[in-house]
Amino acid sequence: MSELIALSARAAAAAVAAGGLDPTELFEAYRARAAADTLNAFTWVAEQAPAPDGAARAPLGGVPLGVKDLFATKGVPSQAGSKILAGYRPPYTATVVERLATAGAPLLAKTNQDEFAMGSSNENSAFGAVLNPWDRARVPGGSSGGSAAAVAAGLAPWALGTDTGGSIRQPAALCGIVGLKPTYGAVSRYGMIAFASSLDQAGPLTRDVADCALLFAHMTGRDPCDATSLQHPEAIAVPTAERLDGKVIGVPEELTGEGVEPGVMAAFEAALARARELGARIERVALPHADHGLSAYYVLAPAEASSNLARFDGVRYGYRAEADDLLAMYTRTRHDGFGPEVKRRILIGTYALSSGYYDAYYGRAQRVRTTIARDFAAAFEAVDLIATPTSPGVAFRLGAKTGDPLAMYLNDYFTVPMSLAGIPAISIPCGLAEGLPVGLQLAGPAFSENAILDAAHALEGALAFDGSAVRS
Ligand code: GLN
């Protein structure tokens, strides 16, 4: 069995296609591991392997998939990490989960997450915190922490997450795996329980860059059920690049200096040195307004959340509090059903949108967003890709930041600007600091996923990060 688990998802799919591996046996091997999980990475695990049908012939070979709790999955709990949706089993499946199942990646388990994807540590889940497999006293990052921990620990071959301001990239970094936030619109949001609709994107969390490309290739595409989805202009290829000759990588001063832990900075600089050896040119680049990204994000995302979360009123979904009249039922349901961070965001967002304050907060934050997008567009005139550390620090101790929302929000400093600009960015593991993984973020212009995956693949080869120790 451990030999099966050692295979990358791509290698497993190839083995199934070649007839050397039984997809039911593969599913069962992962199912048993997921069912015995001690990291609290899952909110639901499949009871049995799907009936053997076309899996072996489909391109993803029947390699099972972990899916973040907030994706709607027909008949299977889909709770977005919230008490207010506890036990909710939707009548339909999210487009991206459906597409992947059709391509041969059946649902293995639903993964734990911060409530409504609000958080950077997975400690905001109504189903309890997830532990980091590198050190169980530490957080896996968030909000897709269950997906990241599961893939890192070999409890799932690959998984889906969502990223609104960093929720795929930051947990990938803290767990030593690969995570891609695609271009906004590249993947359908239909069936994703919404947090901030102008920012939310689904993406893969995988062991390596080739797996990431393979999964993404089957996720992307226009969906009539999501008006913001677009056909990707390029077919997504599994990357083979080993060199970076001719590539110009920009390092923004604004997104590298102050507040970064020394061990993270050292690993980041060592990764840049590897990039140079592979033939890349490293240049300074300016993103003059990136510093304001976090402030703008923490107005825009709560504003959209306050509107999206208005639908949870005890009438249509999930939890309903007992009360004598309708208004009391609404308020008690929301009082009991939402956790403290979700309530904080609803309050901030409602305030920012309220009459008289709209221009001062929401309107201004929207202008900052546009300015940041223009900064990136100008930067990409001069460089092919932009590199930053993914997160200012390595995985922190459970409880270390729960009492200080601002300290928690600072985790998103390097990931939020790309979300605001709608551009794709990947995190790959680039080394260890204090024995814990460090992530390197590579961002590119809209729809440059192939270029990002190629560069990430070349660097991955040179960096030779080994995460196998935590999969045992
Ligand atoms: N940590 C950020 C937040 O709490 C990002 C979350 C996300 O990307 N879903 O809003």
Side-chain angles (χ1 to χ4, degrees):
M1 179 175 109
S2 61
E3 273 170 35
L4 281 186
I5 304 303
L7 292 175
S8 71
R10 202 164 85 91
V16 171
L21 176 58
D22 172 8
T24 304
E25 192 188 332
L26 179 71
F27 193 101
E28 274 306 329
Y30 274 105
R31 207 196 65 75
R33 284 174 71 86
D37 164 42
T38 54
L39 300 169
N40 198 27
F42 303 107
T43 49
W44 175 89
V45 177
E47 267 157 32
Q48 57 187 52
D53 46 16
R57 285 187 309 279
L60 302 181
V63 178
L65 181 71
V67 173
K68 191 175 181 178
D69 194 24
L70 63 65
F71 288 91
T73 42
K74 187 175 177 180
V76 169
S78 306
Q79 313 157 115
S82 183
K83 182 180 168 189
I84 212 161
L85 281 173
Y88 171 61
R89 292 171 190 256
Y92 73 109
T93 296
T95 298
V96 60
V97 177
E98 194 82 65
R99 278 194 184 162
L100 289 174
T102 306
L107 177 63
L108 170 70
K110 298 298 284 287
T111 59
N112 201 346
Q113 60 163 97
D114 282 302
E115 185 176 5
F116 287 104
M118 297 174 190
S120 309
S121 70
N122 227 291
E123 293 165 293
N124 296 337
S125 169
F127 304 99
V130 177
L131 312 183
N132 188 317
W134 290 81
D135 176 349
R136 287 165 177 255
R138 292 175 189 264
V139 304
S143 63
S144 312
S147 290
V151 171
L155 308 176
W158 47 16
L160 284 187
T162 62
D163 190 310
T164 303
S167 277
I168 289 174
R169 291 161 285 164
Q170 185 256 14
L174 271 44
C175 288
I177 61 165
V178 173
L180 172 71
K181 182 203 88 76
T183 307
Y184 183 80
V187 179
S188 168
R189 288 180 297 108
Y190 181 70
M192 264 165 61
I193 296 167
F195 164 14
S197 306
S198 77
L199 296 156
D200 298 343
Q201 261 303 282
L205 288 127
T206 58
R207 236 179 254 179
D208 64 27
V209 176
D211 281 1
C212 180
L214 181 61
L215 199 62
F216 177 59
H218 294 278
M219 295 172 64
T220 184
R222 161 112 185 107
D223 173 12
C225 295
D226 173 3
T228 63
S229 67
L230 291 158
Q231 192 56 44
H232 205 288
E234 295 179 2
I236 302 302
V238 174
T240 53
E242 288 173 6
R243 300 277 309 167
L244 293 170
D245 298 303
K247 293 278 175 221
V248 185
I249 299 180
V251 177
E253 231 156 291
E254 297 82 357
L255 294 184
T256 37
E258 221 183 314
V260 184
E261 288 173 9
V264 169
M265 210 55 211
F268 175 66
E269 272 162 6
L272 293 180
R274 293 287 92 73
R276 264 190 215 101
E277 288 161 16
L278 295 176
R281 216 166 72 223
I282 311 292
E283 281 183 6
R284 280 278 165 203
V285 72
L287 294 174
H289 304 91
D291 264 355
H292 302 295
L294 205 63
S295 317
Y297 173 86
Y298 276 99
V299 171
L300 297 171
E304 294 186 25
S306 72
S307 160
N308 273 327
L309 270 54
R311 73 190 67 170
F312 301 105
D313 55 8
V315 175
R316 285 161 293 188
Y317 323 89
Y319 177 74
R320 176 183 301 166
E322 289 299 321
D324 295 335
D325 63 79
L326 185 63
L327 191 61
M329 190 281 284
Y330 288 157
T331 50
R332 206 163 301 159
T333 296
R334 289 170 70 82
H335 175 274
D336 298 347
F338 290 136
E341 181 61 27
V342 172
K343 285 181 186 151
R344 181 178 297 120
R345 306 270 180 122
I346 292 173
L347 288 172
I348 294 172
T350 306
Y351 181 79
L353 290 175
S354 57
S355 139
Y357 292 103
Y358 185 94
D359 277 344
Y361 294 108
Y362 192 76
R364 180 168 291 204
Q366 285 288 35
R367 286 195 289 279
V368 171
R369 180 176 191 175
T370 303
T371 311
I372 289 175
R374 287 197 187 126
D375 279 1
F376 275 109
F380 289 128
E381 298 277 312
V383 301
D384 299 302
L385 298 169
I386 285 176
T388 74
T390 306
S391 162
V394 293
F396 42 95
R397 290 188 180 282
L398 287 153
K401 300 187 182 182
T402 39
D404 184 351
L406 286 182
M408 192 69 89
Y409 298 170
L410 281 170
N411 278 288
D412 309 325
Y413 195 79
F414 299 134
T415 48
V416 148
M418 294 74 182
S419 300
L420 292 172
I423 60 174
I426 199 169
S427 179
I428 64 167
C430 71
L432 295 175
E434 306 159 50
L436 295 164
V438 175
L440 167 75
Q441 176 175 233
L442 291 174
F447 296 110
S448 67
E449 279 88 348
N450 276 329
I452 290 176
L453 289 160
D454 260 339
H457 183 265
L459 263 170
E460 175 181 62
L463 290 163
F465 180 86
D466 183 4
S468 60
V470 295
R471 283 202 293 276
S472 58

